[in-house]
Amino acid sequence: MTTPPVLTVDLPSTPARLGAVRDLARALDAAGLGALSISGDAERGDLHPIHVASHLAPLTRALSLVVRTDAVDVEPFHLATQLMSLDHISGGRAGWLVETRTDDEAAHVVGREALDPEAARRETSDVVTVARLVWDSWSDDAVVRDAETGVYVDAAKLQYVDFEGETFSVRGPSITPRSPQGLLPVLVADADRAAVGDTVAEQLADGRAVDVVLDPDATAQEIAGAVREALGAAGIVGAELDPQAADTAAASAAPSTPRLVRLVGLLGQQDPADDVAQSQRADAGEDAFRPAELASRVADAAAQLRADGLVAPAPSAGNTLREQFGLPRPDVTIDPARRSDRARTAQKETAR
Amino acid sequence: MSSTTAEQTTAGAAASPADTDHPIHAAHTPSGTIRLGVFFQGVNSSTAWRAPGAGDQVAWESFERLITTAERGVFSAFFLGEGLRLREHQGVPLEFDVAGRPDAQTLLAALASITRQIGLVATQNTTYNDPVDLARRLQSLDLLSDGRAAWNIVTTDNAWTGENFRRGGYIDHAERYEHAEAFVDVARRIWRGEDVDHQGRHYHVRASGRLPRSRQGEPVLFQAGVSPQGRDFAARTADVIFSPFGDLERAIDFRHDIVERTLAAGRSAESVQIFPGAEFILAATDAEAEDKLRWVREQQVGPQQAIALLEQYWGRDLTAYDPDGPLPDVDPLVAESGVTRGAGFQFEKAQELTRAWREEAAQKGLSILEFARSRQGSRGSSFTGSYDSVAEQLAEYARWGAIDGLNITPWLIPGGLDDIVDELVPRLQERGVYPTEYSGTTLRENLGLPALA
Ligand SMILES: Cc1cc2nc3c(=O)[nH]c(=O)nc-3n(C[C@H](O)[C@H](O)[C@H](O)COP(=O)(O)O)c2cc1C
């Protein structure tokens, strides 16, 4: 039985709105929303989305924090450890919406030239692969704290990443222990589908985010209606209702399974100039953007959709994002060839 | 005052400073106070993970408890260290010390939500980061914390760490500060909203600063690394130096040296503050504190760790040696202790060092285990004593103006700040050498740094 998708509100991480974003995150958490997705575009003047997600973690209890961030013009090792740190900090509430930047501006920031779209897709797939290898480089029980033998961390329970890609390589292991979810859910939003490419979207990802673009003043009815329509158009409503289409386990784990329904645009235009105008209006006491009011509209829409079984139930404190998705927590398999004590083992072999 | 005079003054360090306004350098006026910061190290043997009460090194609750306690104690800053590759010895990750920590900035962004005044310092490397990306992340942290962020600039540059990154081991050790200087310049221009087109030796970056300035203008700059190049770099660039020189004598020498370099760089003598690393072992009486020190050392360094410590410098298997016996009478297999990897151990001359250690241990009659324990806490300084005597000792530092603060590595996570905040801080406040409240909300204000233009 497929778990219905988790309802998500997309928050652009504009600095002028920081106070309102904090209030909104708290209000949506209290209202039982499933997740927030946090988008940020540095070239536009947004705060780093991983930082914003992490900042919101202690302010919220149950909702998950899904970061929409670029896989290409970054250091894959940094990205992987930042995301797994978010998972530690949030107690397993982290997820990653993979973005693929192909513009010159983003490339020039890190001293590169923009990749052609095909190369960017291959690189995205390499970065997703590496992130998972980094996340799986410590067994869950690697920290043994054995006072008798003096061992804090067992090197036999760590493994190198040993990844050699087309444009980068990563040795590993991670500098951060395995995180609560083990592997963070990796998702692809409709907005990023083309740039991210087939390999990630159809083979590597844990699921899809269905994007529903809305006006900032959309009513609860309109939000619910738009979600119904989007799920219907994606064939999801039909699948849910048709017992013949009841998924096999394989289907429910398919990379294209809709896991999130992402409400985009509720915070209004994403132009920084507008934000300044908005925050000035807010300073002047004009309620241009009212977190509590927006949260209650979203909560009403969520209640309607949940009544029809179209979106997942409200999470409880302590639920991980994988749990909201109905995905099991994967174990680590230590690959003997990459085991971190291989140098010692090899030495002993030679000595024998 | 020349450096010779500083040495003479140092010889009489137990006495009071001669010139109370300028005891170390004619151009330097001591503030008469000291501040405290906490340095969560997360690697190496400073953390006694076997001790009762030792908690999780990664759990949010551990960091929450540490930083909340530090803020209650009016600490200036909460510091996180960084190591971009898991420390290894001869190709195997070190097993006996604590290891594994969250990413510094990701954690600090979260800690900003549960604190109001304490500074948030991220150790971040200039070799394995991209300057514009790092600048934007630090500026994000500064905005999220409403002006409490700082960057502890480090230049670790070995090719072994580079194996985790795109550029690999692309710079030469000699080049590290030249590279760091250009890197910091790019970061500052991004913070100031400029368009940057930087063509360096290793890359060409183009970007614009698009984020607004924070309440403190831009992140405070800390620096750690004490080579002559590192000191000059700090003198030109940093607001605060995180130094390893905590004992009064070396602190005085270091202050004198930094004042000279800072003046030479065209900045005023007070523009660079100094925070040595420190460890506090406190108890009700001096005698109890001495006992506690012995016990803490036992908790920090076990027999296996003692052997492992020597192996790091000898570069060979020493497991056959008895931890309760004398130091190995063999020479190291390596010329430089580069086989062990991690920020602290690079480029030490193994032959000279191990010979000196053997002599020292023999002279003092120390076994391997005793010797390893005696070395513990050597990076920075240990303050061991009753609450009152350590308070007196710190008041003496304040009178000299040898340091501006201390960066405490708690030997116990997460409870290691409790006695410092509950017992030592009030005694320092009674003596008028420690703040009784935060003077502002930004880190710049709370360190007493001048506002940015
Ligand atoms: C007290 C102190 C703490 C340091 N902490 C770190 C750290 O956490 N991570 C790191 O990569 N480097 C750290 N370093 C800095 C590196 O050791 C430094 O980049 C390296 O020593 C090169 O600089 P140098 O040659 O000037 O000493 C620290 C240095 C000092 C003095």
Side-chain angles (χ1 to χ4, degrees):
Chain A
M1 161 77 209
T2 318
T3 312
V6 169
L7 193 65
T8 310
V9 171
D10 186 60
L11 302 182
S13 55
T14 327
R17 284 207 177 147
L18 197 49
V21 160
R22 287 188 192 109
D23 292 344
L24 182 62
R26 285 193 190 95
L28 288 170
D29 187 47
L33 185 76
L36 293 171
S37 66
I38 295 116
S39 305
D41 176 350
E43 275 65 66
R44 198 178 57 210
D46 288 345
L47 299 163
H48 197 290
I50 298 179
H51 280 40
V52 173
S54 189
H55 187 68
L56 297 178
L59 304 177
T60 51
R61 297 170 59 246
L63 55 67
S64 283
L65 298 157
V66 184
V67 184
R68 180 162 169 255
T69 197
D70 178 35
V72 175
D73 293 314
V74 293
E75 278 291 357
F77 188 78
H78 284 319
L79 177 66
T81 55
Q82 287 160 8
L83 287 169
M84 71 195 295
S85 297
L86 175 65
D87 202 44
H88 278 290
I89 291 160
S90 63
R93 295 185 284 137
W96 178 24
L97 275 164
V98 184
E99 229 186 325
T100 299
R101 295 286 301 260
T102 51
D103 52 304
D104 288 333
E105 218 179 345
H108 290 165
V109 162
V110 292
R112 302 170 82 189
E113 291 305 319
L115 298 172
D116 70 64
E118 212 25 70
R121 288 178 197 126
R122 288 198 303 274
E123 183 150 318
T124 305
S125 143
D126 278 357
V127 173
V128 170
T129 303
V130 147
R132 290 210 176 111
L133 287 166
V134 171
W135 298 339
D136 266 354
S137 61
W138 291 50
S139 303
D140 289 307
D141 58 354
V143 175
V144 293
R145 287 175 174 261
D146 184 337
E148 200 56 40
T149 57
V151 174
Y152 177 83
V153 58
D154 183 351
K157 294 178 174 174
L158 305 177
Q159 58 190 340
Y160 289 104
V161 168
D162 282 348
F163 181 85
E164 304 281 341
E166 196 177 318
T167 62
F168 67 91
S169 59
V170 170
R171 174 68 60 221
S174 179
I175 47 177
T176 308
R178 198 157 192 256
S179 76
Q181 296 185 94
L183 299 178
L184 281 73
V186 175
L187 306 154
V188 180
D190 291 343
D192 301 310
R193 174 66 181 76
V196 165
D198 291 348
T199 310
V200 171
E202 290 174 13
Q203 294 170 35
L204 297 178
D206 295 300
R208 164 184 171 199
V210 177
D211 287 349
V212 180
V213 181
L214 297 155
D215 281 340
D217 49 10
T219 63
Q221 282 297 340
E222 287 165 346
I223 295 170
V227 170
R228 267 180 236 280
E229 199 178 311
L231 293 179
I236 297 150
V237 173
E240 280 308 312
L241 301 180
D242 176 4
Q244 293 309 107
D247 330 277
T248 58
S252 73
S256 54
T257 307
R259 301 274 178 209
L260 289 179
V261 180
R262 199 169 68 113
L263 308 180
V264 180
L266 285 174
L267 277 83
Q269 279 297 315
Q270 299 187 12
D271 184 340
D274 282 14
D275 280 314
V276 174
Q278 286 224 10
S279 70
Q280 281 163 352
R281 277 204 300 276
D283 285 347
E286 290 171 52
D287 260 351
F289 171 57
R290 288 159 300 176
E293 186 274 332
L294 175 54
S296 87
R297 270 187 285 146
V298 172
D300 284 354
Q304 294 176 28
L305 293 163
R306 278 179 189 140
D308 295 343
L310 290 176
V311 300
S316 309
N319 283 165
T320 67
L321 182 55
R322 294 190 80 90
E323 284 166 354
Q324 287 204 64
F325 289 158
L327 290 172
R329 186 182 186 282
D331 288 333
V332 175
T333 310
I334 296 285
D335 169 1
R338 292 190 287 121
R339 224 170 78 169
S340 290
D341 63 347
R342 64 189 174 195
R344 185 165 57 203
T345 326
Q347 220 174 28
K348 283 189 185 139
E349 290 295 317
T350 342
R352 208 173 283 167
Chain B
M1 217 182 253
S2 72
S3 60
T4 339
T5 328
E7 275 152 32
Q8 285 160 3
T9 319
T10 306
S16 277
D19 173 348
T20 46
D21 287 340
H22 305 284
I24 295 178
H25 194 291
H28 181 261
T29 308
S31 68
T33 58
I34 61 149
R35 298 174 205 274
L36 297 176
V38 54
F39 183 52
F40 177 87
Q41 211 139 20
V43 295
N44 80 34
S45 51
S46 57
T47 309
W49 58 263
R50 292 181 205 76
D56 195 299
Q57 290 287 122
V58 196
W60 169 252
E61 291 70 26
S62 297
F63 295 104
E64 188 177 34
R65 167 138 178 223
L66 273 176
I67 200 165
T68 313
T69 309
E71 193 164 53
R72 180 160 60 79
V74 203
F75 277 40
S76 305
F78 181 85
F79 259 72
L80 293 173
E82 180 200 62
L84 296 173
R85 184 155 175 188
L86 217 54
R87 294 157 74 230
E88 286 184 352
H89 178 62
Q90 293 188 328
V92 180
L94 296 182
E95 294 179 296
F96 304 123
D97 295 346
V98 295
R101 50 190 165 183
D103 172 68
Q105 285 202 57
T106 307
L107 178 55
L108 293 175
L111 292 171
S113 290
I114 59 160
T115 52
R116 288 284 160 265
Q117 287 152 312
I118 193 166
L120 305 166
V121 192
T123 301
Q124 303 275 271
N125 175 283
T126 50
T127 310
Y128 303 110
N129 275 294
D130 289 289
V132 175
D133 173 61
L134 186 70
R136 286 170 170 170
R137 287 193 295 116
L138 285 163
Q139 197 169 10
S140 293
L141 180 63
D142 205 21
L143 288 160
L144 287 167
S145 63
D146 210 7
R148 294 187 282 136
W151 171 18
N152 181 33
I153 306 165
V154 295
T155 59
T156 307
D157 61 89
N158 53 67
W160 171 81
T161 300
E163 287 183 10
N164 282 336
F165 299 100
R166 288 180 183 273
R167 295 187 182 93
Y170 68 106
I171 69 171
D172 206 61
H173 186 63
E175 256 187 296
R176 68 199 182 286
Y177 280 107
E178 206 179 301
H179 183 73
E181 199 131 3
F183 189 113
V184 173
D185 181 61
V186 168
R188 280 184 156 160
R189 286 162 58 201
I190 290 293
W191 293 339
R192 290 166 192 180
E194 293 174 23
D195 294 329
V196 174
D197 188 340
H198 168 76
Q199 175 79 67
R201 191 177 310 170
H202 303 287
Y203 46 68
H204 181 190
V205 294
R206 277 159 288 171
S208 303
R210 299 261 164 81
L211 281 166
R213 292 173 78 71
S214 78
R215 199 186 287 276
Q216 67 172 351
E218 57 195 50
V220 170
L221 297 182
F222 283 65
Q223 180 271 359
V226 291
S227 60
Q229 302 95 303
R231 293 176 186 212
D232 279 332
F233 169 70
R236 283 193 295 273
T237 315
D239 300 303
V240 186
I241 297 175
F242 179 14
S243 94
F245 306 124
D247 69 280
L248 186 57
E249 205 171 303
R250 290 162 84 203
I252 288 171
D253 287 349
F254 188 65
R255 167 74 85 190
H256 188 270
D257 182 61
I258 292 301
V259 167
E260 292 277 294
R261 291 176 196 266
T262 307
L263 295 173
R267 300 171 77 196
S268 76
E270 290 79 23
S271 52
V272 181
Q273 301 192 352
I274 302 173
F275 273 60
E279 174 193 57
F280 283 62
I281 314 281
L282 307 175
T285 65
D286 286 341
E288 284 172 61
E290 284 302 329
D291 286 346
K292 186 171 167 183
L293 174 65
R294 245 185 317 277
W295 179 81
V296 170
R297 292 289 179 255
E298 285 167 19
Q299 303 298 310
Q300 287 170 319
V301 184
Q304 301 89 351
Q305 266 160 310
I307 297 290
L309 172 80
L310 298 194
E311 286 182 343
Q312 287 165 28
Y313 293 89
W314 262 261
R316 60 196 295 169
D317 182 355
L318 300 175
T319 43
Y321 286 83
D322 178 3
D324 294 319
L327 264 59
D329 48 7
V330 290
D331 274 338
L333 280 186
V334 289
E336 282 184 344
S337 56
V339 221
T340 291
R341 313 297 191 147
F345 296 112
Q346 288 176 61
F347 309 117
E348 302 237 31
K349 295 272 174 282
Q351 294 280 353
E352 294 162 32
L353 194 80
T354 54
R355 227 165 266 165
W357 281 5
R358 258 200 314 260
E359 271 167 37
E360 185 189 332
Q363 205 177 11
K364 295 182 180 166
L366 299 178
S367 67
I368 289 177
L369 184 53
E370 289 162 338
F371 179 76
R373 285 175 178 161
S374 77
R375 302 256 331 141
Q376 183 60 37
S378 60
R379 191 179 209 185
S381 191
S382 278
F383 291 82
T384 303
S386 71
Y387 309 121
D388 283 308
S389 37
V390 171
E392 267 316 304
Q393 203 184 343
L394 295 188
E396 178 75 0
Y397 278 68
R399 276 194 291 280
W400 278 97
I403 58 174
D404 296 282
L406 289 164
N407 227 349
I408 303 169
T409 294
W411 58 267
L412 184 64
I413 301 294
L417 292 181
D418 295 0
D419 58 353
I420 298 170
V421 168
D422 294 334
E423 302 290 349
L424 181 64
V425 163
R427 287 170 170 81
L428 294 172
Q429 288 167 332
E430 279 163 27
R431 287 165 175 79
V433 296
Y434 188 82
T436 51
E437 56 185 20
Y438 287 98
S439 48
T441 63
T442 69
L443 177 56
R444 224 170 264 286
E445 287 166 335
N446 288 323
L447 288 172
L449 293 167
L452 288 180

